[in-house]
Structures are given as C-alpha cells and as structure tokens.
Amino acid sequence: CALPIYIQFQNRILTQEYGRYGIDFYTHPDVINTELREYEEADYISVPSLFVKRTFLEKGIPESKIFLNPYGANTDFTDSRIQQEEKPGKLFKILYLGALSVRKGLPYLFEALNSLNIPLDLYEVTFIGKIDREFNSYCKSYRKDNWNFLGHIDHNDLPEYIRSADVGVIPSIEDGFGLVIPQIMACRIPVITTTNAGGSDLIRDGENGFVVPIRDSRLIAQRIELLYDDPQKLDLMKMQAMETVLKGYTWADYGDRYSAFLKKLVG
C-alpha cells in the first residue's frame, strides 16, 4: 500500500499544533485503526520520503517492508529552455505555494516575514493556495501591504507564477512529501523548508535550498535574508535547484523506480 505518513504520528503532532491556536484537530479512531491494520496486513509499504520512513521505523515496522520512492515534478515544470526574465532593480520575491493552514506552518512563516531586516518596499510575498476557514482571521491579523494572496491557481498556470519568484518557503509542520517542493525547484527556485516536509530527500542544505527545524521562524528569516543579501549565491542555488529535479525527481523518475521495484517482486 502507498501511504503519506504513519497515522498516529500525524494525529499526535497535528493535535498538538492546532491546540496551540485553540483549534480542535480530530481523527476518528476508526480511521486510525483501519490504517494500522493496513500496515500490518500489507506486504510492502511505499513511502515518499525519509521523514515518513522514520515515522514507520520508530513504530516498529520492519525496514525490509518499506519501499522509499520520492515524488516528482511534471516535465512542464522542468523545462530548462524557459529562462526567467531578469529586471534591474526588481523586487525580491518570496513565494508560498499550498494550502494556507496551521498544518502547513504558516504562523511561523508570518512571524519570519514580520521579523525580516529588509525594507518593505524592496520585497514582496505571494501566497498561492486556498486559505483554510479556521485560519482566515489569522491571515487578516498578520497581513501586510506587500503580501499578495492569489488563492487557487490552475495547475497548468503555476510554472509562470513560480518562475517570477526568487525563493520559495514551505514551513510545514507535517507533510509526508510536499509536492510543491520539486515543482518550485524545477522552475529554478531554491526552497526553504522543514525537516517534516520531505524536502531533505532532495535539498542539500546551502546548495540548492535550506532545511530548517519545524517551528523555527527565526531561522527561516535568516535564510531569506541570506539570499536577499547575496545575489550571487542565490543565482547559483537557483541553477542547482533545477538540476536536482532533472537528475531524479520528475514523475518519470518516480515511475521508473516503481516499475523496477515491481519487476523485482515478480522475479
């Protein structure tokens, strides 16, 4: 069976996190028990990241039962022929892509943005994704004039929006493998993400992006400022980000790994 993350780990960490903001998080016991039975009955469990694999190993699932196969990006995102348009004096652009929610760590991104040592008129932030209902008031209380909330964008139009950014930030508290990470990197944009988003599988810290602990708004801010202050490093990391995806993190690569695994099983 293919699973995003060990269900009890997910339920525990999200119950804690949502509780910080006075929001109830609830997973029905029947859902948890059903998944636990699936783990036991399955011959193999396909997981998308080392982070997810560790949540299974910590609960006693044998490593021999786990097949690690990271997700990928569409080739539309990895089209190396499309170059970004460079404009003298352009704003430094920060991108968030995904649902705006507690689970995705948005409070820590908001805190990081509000502590940036960068003049407001020299950067802007774009949020792409639907705002969770219980998080809407939180967005309004933090919102700044240079923050743009675009809502849902059609998947086919995403590359155009992503390529206009300088850096992506995905601060998830729990995400088995953030699909947006290879998508953003494929568009030649380095990503700052957390240890709990699957990004450690393809991000080499300081080379093609940054991996930070969860709930660390201070370090997120520092990494953003580092890239703002060092355009040469940013340009190098942009190219490294795209090359990483092209060398093993497209959906074709994902399919090839799955095919090889299944062929091995049937001899």
Side-chain angles (χ1 to χ4, degrees):
C1 59
L3 297 164
I5 196 164
Y6 198 92
I7 187 68
Q8 288 177 323
F9 174 91
Q10 180 189 65
N11 187 62
R12 184 181 72 253
I13 194 171
L14 293 186
T15 297
Q16 294 171 349
E17 190 63 25
Y18 277 80
R20 286 171 171 240
Y21 304 95
I23 304 172
D24 290 332
F25 180 85
Y26 178 74
T27 303
H28 197 284
D30 288 349
V31 174
I32 295 176
N33 291 332
T34 297
E35 284 215 15
L36 293 176
R37 288 196 300 271
E38 289 176 353
Y39 304 158
E40 185 174 342
E41 294 176 8
D43 293 310
Y44 295 96
I45 300 172
S46 176
V47 298
S49 68
L50 287 168
F51 161 56
V52 174
K53 181 178 179 178
R54 285 193 291 269
T55 68
F56 280 87
L57 294 178
E58 288 169 0
K59 292 297 184 178
I61 302 296
E63 186 169 10
S64 59
K65 194 173 183 174
I66 300 173
F67 169 54
L68 173 62
N69 191 13
Y71 299 147
N74 291 338
T75 53
D76 289 346
F77 288 81
T78 60
D79 192 342
S80 59
R81 296 170 298 176
I82 300 176
Q83 298 297 318
Q84 292 168 304
E85 183 181 357
E86 299 293 341
K87 297 179 181 179
K90 73 180 182 69
L91 292 175
F92 183 80
K93 296 185 178 182
I94 303 164
L95 171 70
Y96 171 80
L97 175 58
L100 278 71
S101 67
V102 172
R103 177 184 175 229
K104 297 293 186 175
L106 266 295
Y108 305 100
L109 176 55
F110 290 176
E111 290 175 5
L113 295 171
N114 282 333
S115 69
L116 287 178
N117 190 27
I118 305 173
L120 286 176
D121 60 344
L122 296 183
Y123 77 95
E124 68 177 16
V125 189
T126 297
F127 298 89
I128 297 177
K130 182 180 178 182
I131 302 174
D132 279 10
R133 179 173 50 83
E134 73 272 9
F135 197 67
N136 194 43
S137 61
Y138 204 86
C139 288
K140 290 180 180 179
S141 66
Y142 266 88
R143 186 171 189 161
K144 295 291 184 289
D145 290 340
N146 62 341
W147 294 14
N148 304 307
F149 291 85
L150 303 186
H152 173 76
I153 299 293
D154 186 89
H155 181 80
N156 294 323
D157 296 329
L158 282 177
E160 178 183 353
Y161 286 88
I162 296 172
R163 290 187 184 104
S164 68
D166 290 295
V167 61
V169 185
I170 308 298
S172 298
I173 298 300
E174 176 276 313
D175 200 342
F177 189 103
L179 282 171
V180 299
I181 295 174
Q183 289 173 351
I184 295 172
M185 293 176 66
C187 291
R188 208 164 72 94
I189 305 300
V191 173
I192 301 168
T193 190
T194 70
T195 53
N196 287 16
S200 301
D201 292 57
L202 64 163
I203 293 178
R204 301 184 300 276
D205 195 63
E207 294 183 23
N208 57 3
F210 293 103
V211 179
V212 302
I214 60 171
R215 307 186 178 109
D216 198 332
S217 57
R218 180 188 60 83
L219 199 51
I220 292 173
Q222 287 182 359
R223 297 300 185 247
I224 293 173
E225 290 171 354
L226 187 156
L227 295 178
Y228 173 81
D229 291 333
D230 193 342
Q232 288 186 327
K233 183 174 182 64
L234 175 60
D235 286 342
L236 180 60
M237 291 181 72
K238 285 182 175 182
M239 188 56 65
Q240 292 285 350
M242 184 183 69
E243 290 180 353
T244 297
V245 175
L246 290 171
K247 293 179 180 178
Y249 293 95
T250 68
W251 280 119
D253 296 316
Y254 175 86
D256 288 344
R257 289 189 291 267
Y258 232 124
S259 177
F261 174 69
L262 294 175
K263 288 178 180 178
K264 181 180 179 181
L265 291 183
V266 298

